[in-house]
Amino acid sequence: MRASELAERFEVTTRTIERDLLALQEAGVPIWAQPGPGGGYGLNADTSLPPLNLTPAEAAAIATALAATRAMPFAEAGRSALNKLSGVMASAPKSSASKLVSHIRVAQGPRSEPAHLIADVLQRALIDSVAVELTYRDAESRESTRVVEPAGLVGTRHGWYLAAWCRLRQAPRAFRLDRITQASLTQEAVSSRPLDAMLPDLPFELAEPALM
């Protein structure tokens, strides 16, 4: 396209378009320019992203998994990711996936609001390797305040747990997310603790999620 065409489309001056295109080229965007009659600016098609090639079954599997685990700590992030994936899928597979999903129903347990509310705090603590102050309610509804060094999150059929080194008990502990009533980040950096070494006697078969 010519700079004048772009200027008319975006209702700015040709000089503004040329300046912005030059800035994009200097930033590494693969825009080429061809001077003279019939010339203009173009974007290298080889560097553009094609529609995401999820099959209808793959897209339906992701949607079903998210529906079945709505109490997981990152459920909202999962739904946001699914919306992004859906937005870039080709129209035909997307239509087939929608039709397939319309024939699926998932029985859901109660939504775990506390787990949802503390998800951002735990995510930040795990990424930044900082201690967390928790207010925790045990199985007998007794509350305690603890500072813990988080090692990771463990999902089981009984719920989601934070695996952490508890300074109050001076031992590894698992805290059910739906029993954490408050969580706040401290400014104290901690050494990363291997998740698998924290709870060697955990009575569940655990698998690490794959991220390709």
Side-chain angles (χ1 to χ4, degrees), residues 49-56 58-59 85 88-91 93:
L49 292 175
L52 191 65
N53 293 320
L54 284 180
T55 67
E58 288 170 340
L85 290 173
V88 296
M89 283 182 67
S91 58

Side-chain angles (χ1 to χ4, degrees), residues 125-130 149-152 165 189-195 197-198:
L126 290 167
I127 292 174
D128 294 343
S129 296
V130 296
E149 300 176 17
W165 177 267
V190 296
S191 300
S192 296
R193 294 178 179 269
L195 176 59
M198 292 292 290

Side-chain angles (χ1 to χ4, degrees), residues 22-42:
L22 178 60
L24 289 170
Q25 288 174 318
E26 291 175 345
V29 178
I31 297 173
W32 52 264
Q34 180 177 328
Y41 293 91

Side-chain angles (χ1 to χ4, degrees), residues 20-211:
D20 291 348
L21 289 173
L22 178 60
L24 289 170
Q25 288 174 318
E26 291 175 345
V29 178
I31 297 173
W32 52 264
Q34 180 177 328
Y41 293 91
L43 182 66
N44 188 348
D46 293 338
T47 62
S48 61
L49 292 175
L52 191 65
N53 293 320
L54 284 180
T55 67
E58 288 170 340
I62 295 173
T64 303
L66 287 170
T69 56
R70 67 174 182 172
M72 72 177 182
F74 307 113
E76 291 299 326
R79 282 187 282 272
S80 175
L82 181 60
N83 286 336
K84 291 178 181 179
L85 290 173
S86 175
V88 296
M89 283 182 67
S91 58
K94 181 178 179 179
S95 176
S96 296
S98 297
K99 183 176 181 181
L100 180 57
V101 168
S102 72
H103 294 284
I104 298 172
R105 298 292 183 271
V106 177
Q108 296 182 327
R111 183 183 294 272
S112 181
E113 290 298 339
H116 168 65
L117 294 175
I118 67 170
D120 289 344
V121 173
L122 298 182
Q123 174 184 326
R124 200 72 259 161
L126 290 167
I127 292 174
D128 294 343
S129 296
V130 296
V132 180
E133 183 174 337
L134 303 178
T135 300
Y136 189 69
R137 187 182 65 250
D138 65 17
E140 298 178 2
S141 296
R142 295 174 299 194
E143 282 198 347
S144 62
T145 300
R146 309 161 183 240
V147 176
V148 303
E149 300 176 17
L153 298 170
V154 179
T156 76
R157 55 189 163 189
H158 301 290
W160 280 86
Y161 293 79
L162 169 67
W165 177 267
C166 177
R167 293 182 179 175
L168 177 66
R169 303 304 183 197
Q170 286 296 298
R173 287 291 185 270
F175 301 93
R176 263 184 57 163
L177 265 58
D178 59 356
R179 292 179 183 165
I180 298 175
T181 58
Q182 289 184 339
S184 60
L185 298 173
T186 70
Q187 300 299 315
E188 182 183 353
V190 296
S191 300
S192 296
R193 294 178 179 269
L195 176 59
D196 293 336
M198 292 292 290
L199 297 172
D201 299 323
L202 192 68
F204 304 107
E205 182 179 353
L206 302 179
E208 180 181 356
L211 182 61

